Amino acid sequence: MIAHVAQSDEQRGRVVLWLGGETQDTAVDAALRLAQAFESEIESVFIEDRQLFELAELPFAREIPLSGRGARTMSAEALARDMRAQASALQRHVLSRAREADVKAQARVVRAEPVRALADVCAENGPWNVVTVGAPVRSDNGTGYAAAGLAELFDAVHATTGIVVAGRTARRTSGPVIAVVEELERVVPMMRAAERIASATGGALSLWLLEQDQTRQDWIEGQIRLALGGSPGIGFEVVDMSVHTPRSVASLMRRAGAGFVITRFGGALTARARDVAPFADMLDGPLFLVR
């Protein structure tokens, strides 16, 4: 499937911004840029995780404040108040940012298991949705969104073409848009998606071919160069994966000043869900994972 978001007048998708808990500004910026690029809408969805309320009803449940000092009894009522206040503040911020960016936006609060909630929200208006995860992606047990859940998201949320995440140190959406290609048939669709995003961010566009077999690399490179013959201004890099690792590729992208990076989930750079957070943490911008 190809990276795409439905335009506002198509009524077949939008940028879904998943809020809840920690939210970073880079994720909000990424959602806004995508909406601008594809002339789409944003729907910010604050998800009250039902499992937290089930936990709060247990008699032994205790809440530890952010200061780490002491503990207090959890209650569903107090949890609901805290979440309502958090949701209201976050959504006011997103809606304000959307008005400044001239992006149509709406907001809602859902209490459910997060994956199920996103699947339902995307199914209502699909199939051309992109989910942007508001929390920074992580691989450890700290705060943020656990990258291990990405495989489940891709499996369960069918009415989406991709998922956008950002690492803890991501701080911008500007800069060159890098589209990673590993199969010849993806070159044109990935280039079109990257062109749309670059038009919104004001960055340059670059295709990066990843391959470790020299014979296949030479053939694909030749075909891509033929296809790009009439497209001046598009950069093209060939990365020999027989000598590079995802970590070294991320370093190259960071040195290139990459803003958005578009790559296939399950490809050479993010072969498994657990590979996403270490890769994203080395980038300064968001990571757009497509099917």
Side-chain angles (χ1 to χ4, degrees):
M1 188 174 288
I2 303 305
H4 179 70
V5 191
Q7 292 184 356
S8 296
D9 57 1
E10 289 183 285
Q11 296 297 307
R12 299 191 66 194
R14 70 284 204 210
V15 178
V16 176
L17 175 58
W18 173 14
L19 303 176
E22 184 181 1
T23 299
Q24 60 180 169
D25 278 342
T26 304
V28 177
D29 289 342
L32 290 168
R33 293 295 196 183
L34 283 176
Q36 289 175 326
F38 290 92
E39 300 177 17
S40 183
E41 301 178 6
I42 283 183
E43 181 165 12
S44 64
V45 181
F46 187 96
I47 301 177
E48 298 178 344
D49 192 337
R50 189 185 302 277
Q51 293 181 349
L52 291 178
F53 287 89
E54 293 172 352
L55 176 62
E57 293 174 353
L58 298 175
F60 54 80
R62 296 292 185 272
E63 179 182 5
I64 300 176
L66 293 175
S67 65
R69 300 172 184 170
R72 64 184 183 187
T73 302
M74 288 185 68
S75 73
E77 293 79 10
L79 181 61
R81 286 196 301 271
D82 290 346
M83 284 197 171
R84 281 197 299 270
Q86 184 184 27
S88 178
L90 283 174
Q91 290 181 330
R92 283 199 306 272
H93 175 66
V94 172
L95 292 175
S96 174
R97 294 287 309 281
R99 284 193 296 272
E100 293 172 358
D102 196 24
V103 170
K104 185 176 180 180
Q106 52 186 315
R108 75 166 94 176
V109 178
V110 178
R111 183 178 299 182
E113 190 275 324
V115 173
R116 181 71 264 162
L118 290 170
D120 290 343
V121 166
C122 289
E124 288 177 7
N125 187 2
W128 307 111
N129 296 285
V130 166
V131 173
T132 301
V133 181
V137 67
R138 62 174 174 81
S139 54
D140 56 25
N141 294 321
T143 58
Y145 174 69
L150 283 169
E152 185 181 4
L153 273 182
F154 272 103
D155 287 342
V157 186
H158 301 294
T160 182
T161 61
I163 297 171
V164 177
V165 297
R168 294 186 176 281
T169 60
R171 52 189 171 87
R172 68 182 185 202
T173 55
S174 60
V177 178
I178 296 178
V180 176
V181 293
E182 300 173 59
E183 302 92 4
L184 185 59
E185 61 270 20
R186 285 180 174 262
V187 171
V188 173
M190 291 285 269
M191 184 172 65
R192 287 175 178 167
E195 284 176 330
R196 296 289 293 266
I197 296 172
S199 70
T201 63
L205 166 61
S206 183
L207 290 179
W208 286 34
L209 168 64
L210 273 56
E211 182 55 62
Q212 60 181 357
D213 180 88
Q214 188 63 53
T215 301
R216 177 176 163 80
Q217 180 188 101
D218 292 343
W219 181 77
I220 296 179
E221 179 183 357
Q223 295 299 309
I224 292 176
R225 291 194 183 280
L226 283 174
L228 295 179
S231 304
I234 298 179
F236 181 49
E237 300 287 340
V238 179
V239 181
D240 185 353
M241 293 305 290
S242 67
V243 297
H244 279 284
T245 66
R247 187 176 182 87
S248 66
V249 173
S251 294
L252 293 174
M253 290 175 169
R254 187 167 188 166
R255 286 201 292 271
F260 273 85
V261 172
I262 311 172
T263 191
R264 180 173 65 85
F265 181 65
L269 300 179
T270 54
R272 299 156 297 185
R274 69 186 185 189
D275 299 324
V276 173
F279 184 78
D281 275 341
M282 295 190 68
L283 301 175
D284 287 333
L287 180 62
F288 190 172
L289 300 167
V290 299
R291 294 184 184 275

